Tab-separated table of all heavy atoms in Angstrom:
chain	number	residue	atom	x	y	z
A	96	VAL	N	99.491	97.928	69.470
A	96	VAL	CA	100.843	98.239	69.975
A	96	VAL	C	101.799	97.088	69.658
A	96	VAL	O	102.901	97.304	69.151
A	96	VAL	CB	100.799	98.540	71.492
A	96	VAL	CG1	102.203	98.556	72.085
A	96	VAL	CG2	100.101	99.881	71.735
A	99	MET	N	103.097	96.879	66.215
A	99	MET	CA	104.114	97.875	65.863
A	99	MET	C	105.493	97.529	66.430
A	99	MET	O	106.444	98.279	66.256
A	99	MET	CB	103.678	99.263	66.354
A	99	MET	CG	102.516	99.826	65.536
A	99	MET	SD	102.037	101.464	66.092
A	99	MET	CE	100.981	101.990	64.718
A	169	ALA	N	111.163	101.946	72.998
A	169	ALA	CA	110.383	102.522	74.101
A	169	ALA	C	108.911	102.425	73.739
A	169	ALA	O	108.530	102.677	72.580
A	169	ALA	CB	110.778	103.969	74.351
A	170	VAL	N	108.100	102.036	74.719
A	170	VAL	CA	106.651	101.930	74.530
A	170	VAL	C	106.000	102.815	75.574
A	170	VAL	O	106.381	102.763	76.747
A	170	VAL	CB	106.164	100.473	74.762
A	170	VAL	CG1	104.671	100.362	74.528
A	170	VAL	CG2	106.922	99.502	73.897
A	171	CYS	N	105.046	103.632	75.146
A	171	CYS	CA	104.287	104.435	76.121
A	171	CYS	C	102.819	104.307	75.756
A	171	CYS	O	102.356	104.907	74.781
A	171	CYS	CB	104.737	105.899	76.093
A	171	CYS	SG	103.851	106.897	77.307
A	172	ALA	N	102.088	103.494	76.513
A	172	ALA	CA	100.703	103.177	76.155
A	172	ALA	C	99.715	103.828	77.116
A	172	ALA	O	99.827	103.693	78.341
A	172	ALA	CB	100.494	101.663	76.148
A	173	LEU	N	98.755	104.528	76.552
A	173	LEU	CA	97.562	105.016	77.257
A	173	LEU	C	97.878	105.917	78.451
A	173	LEU	O	97.157	105.894	79.443
A	173	LEU	CB	96.696	103.829	77.718
A	173	LEU	CG	96.229	102.867	76.617
A	173	LEU	CD1	95.415	101.722	77.216
A	173	LEU	CD2	95.403	103.594	75.563
A	175	LEU	N	99.649	109.372	77.883
A	175	LEU	CA	99.982	110.774	77.586
A	175	LEU	C	98.784	111.707	77.706
A	175	LEU	O	98.959	112.922	77.829
A	175	LEU	CB	100.634	110.880	76.197
A	175	LEU	CG	102.030	110.240	76.133
A	175	LEU	CD1	102.605	110.346	74.730
A	175	LEU	CD2	102.979	110.894	77.137
A	185	TYR	N	107.895	113.842	74.637
A	185	TYR	CA	108.589	113.351	73.432
A	185	TYR	C	110.077	113.673	73.497
A	185	TYR	O	110.911	112.878	73.028
A	185	TYR	CB	107.939	113.924	72.172
A	185	TYR	CG	106.741	113.112	71.735
A	185	TYR	CD1	105.452	113.505	72.058
A	185	TYR	CD2	106.902	111.932	71.018
A	185	TYR	CE1	104.347	112.760	71.672
A	185	TYR	CE2	105.803	111.169	70.629
A	185	TYR	CZ	104.530	111.589	70.956
A	185	TYR	OH	103.441	110.828	70.576
A	188	PHE	N	111.526	110.981	75.597
A	188	PHE	CA	111.575	109.689	74.895
A	188	PHE	C	112.765	109.690	73.918
A	188	PHE	O	113.451	108.683	73.776
A	188	PHE	CB	110.280	109.413	74.126
A	188	PHE	CG	109.027	109.394	74.979
A	188	PHE	CD1	107.762	109.459	74.395
A	188	PHE	CD2	109.105	109.307	76.366
A	188	PHE	CE1	106.619	109.438	75.175
A	188	PHE	CE2	107.948	109.291	77.151
A	188	PHE	CZ	106.710	109.366	76.543
A	198	LEU	N	110.086	104.039	68.847
A	198	LEU	CA	109.135	104.472	69.875
A	198	LEU	C	107.730	104.100	69.413
A	198	LEU	O	107.348	104.399	68.272
A	198	LEU	CB	109.224	105.999	70.053
A	198	LEU	CG	108.158	106.652	70.941
A	198	LEU	CD1	108.282	106.175	72.394
A	198	LEU	CD2	108.273	108.179	70.882
A	199	VAL	N	106.974	103.445	70.287
A	199	VAL	CA	105.565	103.155	69.992
A	199	VAL	C	104.716	103.824	71.064
A	199	VAL	O	104.928	103.617	72.259
A	199	VAL	CB	105.298	101.628	69.953
A	199	VAL	CG1	103.816	101.341	69.771
A	199	VAL	CG2	106.110	100.990	68.827
A	200	VAL	N	103.789	104.659	70.607
A	200	VAL	CA	102.944	105.436	71.528
A	200	VAL	C	101.484	105.137	71.240
A	200	VAL	O	101.079	105.093	70.067
A	200	VAL	CB	103.187	106.956	71.319
A	200	VAL	CG1	102.129	107.786	72.037
A	200	VAL	CG2	104.570	107.354	71.809
A	201	SER	N	100.682	104.931	72.297
A	201	SER	CA	99.225	104.965	72.117
A	201	SER	C	98.655	105.999	73.066
A	201	SER	O	99.226	106.266	74.130
A	201	SER	CB	98.596	103.586	72.369
A	201	SER	OG	98.615	103.247	73.742
A	202	ASP	N	97.560	106.606	72.642
A	202	ASP	CA	96.916	107.620	73.500
A	202	ASP	C	95.417	107.587	73.237
A	202	ASP	O	94.974	107.253	72.137
A	202	ASP	CB	97.481	109.017	73.188
A	202	ASP	CG	97.127	110.053	74.256
A	202	ASP	OD1	96.715	109.662	75.374
A	202	ASP	OD2	97.257	111.255	73.970
A	237	HIS	N	100.300	115.116	68.529
A	237	HIS	CA	101.314	114.073	68.717
A	237	HIS	C	102.389	114.153	67.637
A	237	HIS	O	103.583	114.106	67.924
A	237	HIS	CB	100.657	112.688	68.661
A	237	HIS	CG	100.092	112.271	69.981
A	237	HIS	ND1	100.860	111.696	70.961
A	237	HIS	CD2	98.840	112.354	70.486
A	237	HIS	CE1	100.102	111.440	72.011
A	237	HIS	NE2	98.869	111.831	71.758
A	299	MET	N	94.670	106.330	69.475
A	299	MET	CA	95.556	106.479	68.310
A	299	MET	C	96.882	105.779	68.584
A	299	MET	O	97.276	105.598	69.739
A	299	MET	CB	95.801	107.962	68.023
A	299	MET	CG	96.653	108.638	69.071
A	299	MET	SD	96.912	110.380	68.710
A	299	MET	CE	95.414	111.086	69.387
A	300	TYR	N	97.560	105.415	67.511
A	300	TYR	CA	98.779	104.591	67.599
A	300	TYR	C	99.845	105.149	66.669
A	300	TYR	O	99.565	105.409	65.495
A	300	TYR	CB	98.437	103.134	67.216
A	300	TYR	CG	97.419	102.621	68.185
A	300	TYR	CD1	96.059	102.831	67.954
A	300	TYR	CD2	97.811	102.068	69.393
A	300	TYR	CE1	95.118	102.473	68.896
A	300	TYR	CE2	96.867	101.699	70.341
A	300	TYR	CZ	95.538	101.905	70.089
A	300	TYR	OH	94.611	101.574	71.035
A	301	LEU	N	101.049	105.338	67.189
A	301	LEU	CA	102.155	105.884	66.405
A	301	LEU	C	103.373	104.989	66.544
A	301	LEU	O	103.739	104.619	67.670
A	301	LEU	CB	102.552	107.275	66.916
A	301	LEU	CG	101.527	108.391	66.886
A	301	LEU	CD1	102.125	109.644	67.507
A	301	LEU	CD2	101.124	108.674	65.466
A	302	GLN	N	103.963	104.663	65.416
A	302	GLN	CA	105.273	103.986	65.407
A	302	GLN	C	106.277	104.997	64.861
A	302	GLN	O	106.114	105.516	63.750
A	302	GLN	CB	105.217	102.755	64.511
A	302	GLN	CG	106.560	102.041	64.404
A	302	GLN	CD	106.494	100.903	63.396
A	302	GLN	OE1	105.548	100.114	63.389
A	302	GLN	NE2	107.492	100.817	62.532
A	303	LEU	N	107.303	105.284	65.660
A	303	LEU	CA	108.239	106.364	65.335
A	303	LEU	C	109.665	105.852	65.442
A	303	LEU	O	109.944	104.902	66.184
A	303	LEU	CB	108.044	107.526	66.322
A	303	LEU	CG	106.615	108.074	66.403
A	303	LEU	CD1	106.367	108.731	67.747
A	303	LEU	CD2	106.338	109.055	65.288
Side-chain angles (χ1 to χ4, degrees):
V96 167
M99 289 181 167
V170 182
C171 181
L173 303 178
L175 292 179
Y185 276 98
F188 301 165
L198 171 65
V199 175
V200 168
S201 72
D202 194 16
H237 275 277
M299 70 180 84
Y300 299 87
L301 299 177
Q302 177 186 315
L303 305 155

